[in-house]
C-alpha cells in the first residue's frame, strides 16, 4: 500500500540530500573536533562551516549558535540561563507551550520560582498586552513559542519581544516548529534566545541548537569539556551537525516555494474536509498559521479511533489527545483554546511536509468523510443528536 505520511510536526523524514551528507559525514567527517591533530583540525573546520549555515538560515551570527541535542535541551537550557544569570523569581509563559517548556517551568516552581501561564484566545493567540500586564519587577524570563506544534498558530513574536525588550526582560522563543516554515531574521529582532531542532526540518534526530544573542551571557546547562566555548560540554556530534547544516541550507534555499506550496495544500485540505464533513471545525488561527498544519475537531467521536482507521488506510496522522502516551487527558493545547473534553478528544492533526503531494491531500479528503460517518454511526452521542 502506498502510505501517506501526515505527521510532519512529530518528525520529518530525512531529505535525500541530507541523508547523503550524513552518510558521507559518518564515513569521512567523524573526528573529534577538539583534537589537536589534523583530523581534529578538519573537524573544527566542519563545525565552523556548519555553524555558518545554521546561522544563515535564521539571520544570526555564527557565534550566536550553540549546538545541542535537540529542541528539548535547548528549551531547558534557555530557562536555566535565565535562572542562573538574572536576579528574580518570576517567569512568564503560556498554557499551550510544548512540554519541553511546560515541564521545565513546573520544575522551576518546585524550586521556588513563580510562573505566570498566560491563557490564549480561541485561536491560540497570546497578545503583547497580556504579556506586558504580566511583567513584574522580578520577572527574569518570558518564554513563548513561535508556532504551535498542535494547532499551528503563529504568535506575534516580534511584538511580544518588543514588550520584553522595553522592560529589559530576557525573551526566549521555542521556534522548533517555525524555523524553516516561517522566514526568521534574528539580525533585526527582539528575540534573545531561540530553540530549534534538526529533525523537524528534514534533518537527523538528536541535534538542534539554541541561539543566544551575543549580548546575552550564557551559562552552561551541561557541564563538561570546552565545547561550544565551554557553555555546552560533550564531544560534538559532528556527522549530525553537518547534516543539520545541510538541512538548514536547503530550508533557506527553498523557503519561499516551500511556504507557498504547503500553504496551498494545507488550505485545500482544510476546505475539502470542512466542506465534506458536517459538525467539523478548524482549530488554530485561520491565517496566522504554520504552512503545513491542519487541526480539525469532529463532534461525537474519538480522535484515537479516527487515527486507527486512517492508519488502516495507510494514512499517518496524530490526534488531539495524549492517549498514545498512556494518559487519557485531552491535549493541553486544545483545552487551552477552550475546547470541551469531548471536542478535544475528537480532534485530528494532519501535518504536511515536503513529501506531501496534491494526490495525498485529495486521498485524505476522499477517505476521511466515510471514516467519520462510520464512527459516528457507532456513537451514542451522535445517535442522540440525530434524534433531536
Ligand atoms: C518537537 C518539538 C520540541 C522538541 O524537540 P526535540 O528536538 O524533539 O527535542 C520542542 N518544541 C516544539 C514546539 C516541538 O515541536
Amino acid at each position: 500500500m502506498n502510505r501517506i505520511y501526515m505527521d510532519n510536526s512529530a518528525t520529518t523524514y530525512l531529505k535525500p540530500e541530507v541523508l547523503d551528507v550524513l552518510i558521507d559525514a559518518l564515513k569521512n567527517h567523524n573526528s573529534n573536533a577538539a583534537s589537536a591533530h589534523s583530523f581534529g583540525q578538519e573537524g573544527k573546520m566542519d563545525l565552523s562551516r556548519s555553524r555558518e549555515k545554521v546561522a544563515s538560515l535564521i539571520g544570526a551570527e555564527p557565534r550566536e549558535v550553540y549546538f545541542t541535542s535537540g529542541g528539548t535541551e535547548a528549551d531547558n537550557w534557555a530557562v536555566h540561563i535565565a535562572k542562573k544569570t538574572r536576579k528574580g523569581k518570576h517567569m512568564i509563559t503560556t498554557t499551550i507551550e510544548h512540554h519541553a517548556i511546560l515541564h521545565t517551568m513546573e520544575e522551576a516552581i518546585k524550586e521556588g520560582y513563580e510562573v505566570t501561564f498566560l491563557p490564549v484566545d480561541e485561536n491560540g493567540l497570546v497578545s503583547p498586552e497580556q504579556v506586558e500586564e504580566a511583567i513584574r519587577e522580578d520577572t527574569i524570563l518570558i518564554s513563548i513559542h513561535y508556532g504551535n506544534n498542535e494547532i499551528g498558530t503563529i504568535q506575534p513574536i516580534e511584538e511580544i519581544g518588543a514588550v520584553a525588550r522595553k522592560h529589559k526582560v530576557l525573551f526566549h522563543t521555542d521556534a522548533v516548529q517555525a524555523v524553516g516554515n516561517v522566514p526568521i531574521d534574528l539580525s533585526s529582532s527582539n528575540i534573545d534566545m531561540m530553540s530549534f531542532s534538526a529533525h523537524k526540518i528534514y534533518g537527523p534526530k538528536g541535534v538542534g541548537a539554541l541561539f543566544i544573542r551575543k549580548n546575552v551571557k550564557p551559562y552552561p546547562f551541561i557541564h563538561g569539556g570546552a565545547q561550544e566555548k565551554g557553555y555546552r560540554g560533550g564531544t560534538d556530534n559532528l556527522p549530525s551537525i553537518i547534516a543539520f547544516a545541510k538541512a538548514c541550507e536547503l530550508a533557506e534555499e527553498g523557503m519561499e516555494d516551500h511556504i507557498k506550496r504547503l500553504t496551498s495544500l494545507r488550505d485545500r485540505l482544510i476546505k475539502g474536509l470542512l466542506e465534506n464533513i458536517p459538525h467539523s471545525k478548524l482549530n488554530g488561527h485561520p491565517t496566522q498559521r504554520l504552512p503545513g498544519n491542519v487541526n480539525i475537531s469532529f463532534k461525537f467521536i474519538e480522535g484515537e479511533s479516527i487515527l486507527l482507521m486512517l492508519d488502516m488506510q495507510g494514512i499517518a496522522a496524530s490526534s488531539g489527545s495524549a492517549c498514545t502516551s498512556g494518559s487519557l487527558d485531552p491535549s493541553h493545547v486544545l483545552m487551552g483554546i477552550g475546547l470541551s473534553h469531548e471536542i478535544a478528544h475528537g480532534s485530528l492533526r494532519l501535518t504536511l511536509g515536503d513529501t506531501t503531494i496534491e494526490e495525498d491531500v485529495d486521498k485524505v479528503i476522499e477517505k476521511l468523510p466515510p471514516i467519520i460517518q462510520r464512527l459516528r454511526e457507532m456513537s451514542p452521542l451522535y445517535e442522540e443528536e440525530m434524534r433531536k
Side-chain angles (χ1 to χ4, degrees):
M1 182 166 46
N2 191 14
R3 291 197 300 168
I4 295 176
Y5 183 73
M6 288 205 182
D7 203 11
N8 285 278
S9 275
T11 196
T12 51
Y13 75 101
L14 284 169
K15 271 185 189 159
E17 299 97 312
V18 176
L19 178 61
D20 287 346
V21 164
L22 178 60
I23 290 171
D24 176 63
L26 284 163
K27 285 186 192 158
N28 305 313
H29 299 267
N30 203 359
S31 65
N32 187 327
S35 299
H37 46 63
S38 63
F39 297 89
Q41 291 307 311
E42 284 162 26
K44 234 177 242 114
M45 292 284 292
D46 286 329
L47 191 58
S48 106
R49 267 194 297 266
S50 300
R51 206 184 299 281
E52 282 168 21
K53 288 181 189 169
V54 173
S56 170
L57 172 63
I58 55 171
E61 292 180 27
R63 62 177 162 151
E64 296 174 314
V65 170
Y66 294 78
F67 290 113
T68 67
S69 65
T72 302
E73 184 191 322
D75 282 350
N76 274 262
W77 190 12
V79 175
H80 190 71
I81 287 171
K83 292 199 294 196
K84 289 291 187 180
T85 65
R86 305 278 155 141
K87 281 203 174 61
K89 282 284 170 195
H90 179 240
M91 297 190 272
I92 299 169
T93 187
T94 75
T95 56
I96 64 165
E97 297 298 308
H98 189 274
H99 284 137
I101 283 294
L102 278 187
H103 290 166
T104 304
M105 290 293 183
E106 281 159 20
E107 199 55 34
I109 292 171
K110 288 187 205 157
E111 295 163 7
Y113 288 87
E114 286 173 45
V115 179
T116 301
F117 296 91
L118 294 173
V120 295
D121 72 10
E122 71 278 8
N123 289 324
L125 283 176
V126 62
S127 72
E129 293 75 29
Q130 273 176 287
V131 175
E132 184 151 38
E133 274 167 33
I135 294 175
R136 314 192 317 205
E137 273 300 303
D138 62 343
T139 305
I140 57 168
L141 178 70
I142 297 166
S143 177
I144 293 175
H145 65 291
Y146 208 124
N148 190 273
N149 51 305
E150 290 191 41
I151 55 171
T153 299
I154 297 172
Q155 301 296 341
I157 281 301
E158 287 306 333
E159 290 80 353
I160 293 171
V163 167
R165 186 145 295 179
K166 177 175 151 201
H167 292 270
K168 299 192 173 61
V169 180
L170 209 48
F171 179 48
H172 166 256
T173 186
D174 173 340
V176 173
Q177 294 288 338
V179 166
N181 290 311
V182 179
I184 296 177
D185 181 7
L186 293 174
S187 68
S188 58
S189 161
N190 295 310
I191 297 167
D192 294 317
M193 295 188 282
M194 185 179 89
S195 309
F196 53 116
S197 178
H199 79 101
K200 303 285 175 82
I201 57 165
Y202 313 96
K205 290 170 187 56
V207 61
L210 181 65
F211 157 85
I212 307 174
R213 191 170 290 286
K214 58 184 181 240
N215 60 343
V216 173
K217 186 154 175 51
Y219 191 94
F221 179 58
I222 294 185
H223 301 271
Q227 292 88 359
E228 303 300 287
K229 291 178 270 183
Y231 290 114
R232 201 281 186 182
T235 305
D236 305 285
N237 182 355
L238 215 42
S240 292
I241 288 172
I242 293 170
F244 178 24
K246 183 69 187 177
C248 288
E249 186 183 299
L250 294 174
E252 186 175 352
E253 281 168 15
M255 175 92 63
E256 214 174 302
D257 281 348
H258 168 83
I259 294 174
K260 228 162 96 191
R261 207 181 72 84
L262 282 200
T263 303
S264 140
L265 289 174
R266 174 196 77 190
D267 292 342
R268 184 184 180 92
L269 182 56
I270 292 173
K271 186 163 173 281
L273 294 180
L274 294 182
E275 277 178 6
N276 288 294
I277 305 177
H279 308 292
S280 58
K281 146 186 186 314
L282 180 70
N283 296 315
H285 199 281
T287 53
Q288 247 166 274
R289 177 176 200 99
L290 292 170
N293 179 288
V294 176
N295 189 312
I296 297 185
S297 291
F298 304 102
K299 261 173 124 173
F300 316 116
I301 37 174
E302 286 274 330
E304 288 301 300
S305 39
I306 312 175
L307 278 196
L308 295 178
M309 292 187 72
L310 276 177
D311 199 38
M312 285 193 278
Q313 305 270 359
I315 299 163
S318 146
S319 80
S321 61
C323 301
T324 37
S325 60
S327 130
L328 281 171
D329 295 337
S331 133
H332 65 282
V333 176
L334 297 178
M335 298 302 283
I337 57 170
L339 299 192
S340 67
H341 271 248
E342 271 168 64
I343 304 279
H345 270 304
S347 302
L348 183 72
R349 180 186 76 176
L350 297 152
T351 43
L352 320 182
D354 276 6
T355 46
T356 311
I357 51 173
E358 201 167 278
E359 287 86 278
D360 298 342
V361 166
D362 291 344
K363 178 127 182 242
V364 173
I365 296 172
E366 176 202 328
K367 297 285 181 190
L368 195 50
I371 290 178
I372 301 290
Q373 185 54 30
R374 222 171 315 146
L375 289 170
R376 281 184 176 158
E377 279 160 12
M378 296 188 267
S379 152
L381 288 170
Y382 186 63
E383 206 178 301
E384 219 170 272
E385 171 75 17
M386 291 300 103
R387 260 192 268 114
K388 273 183 199 165

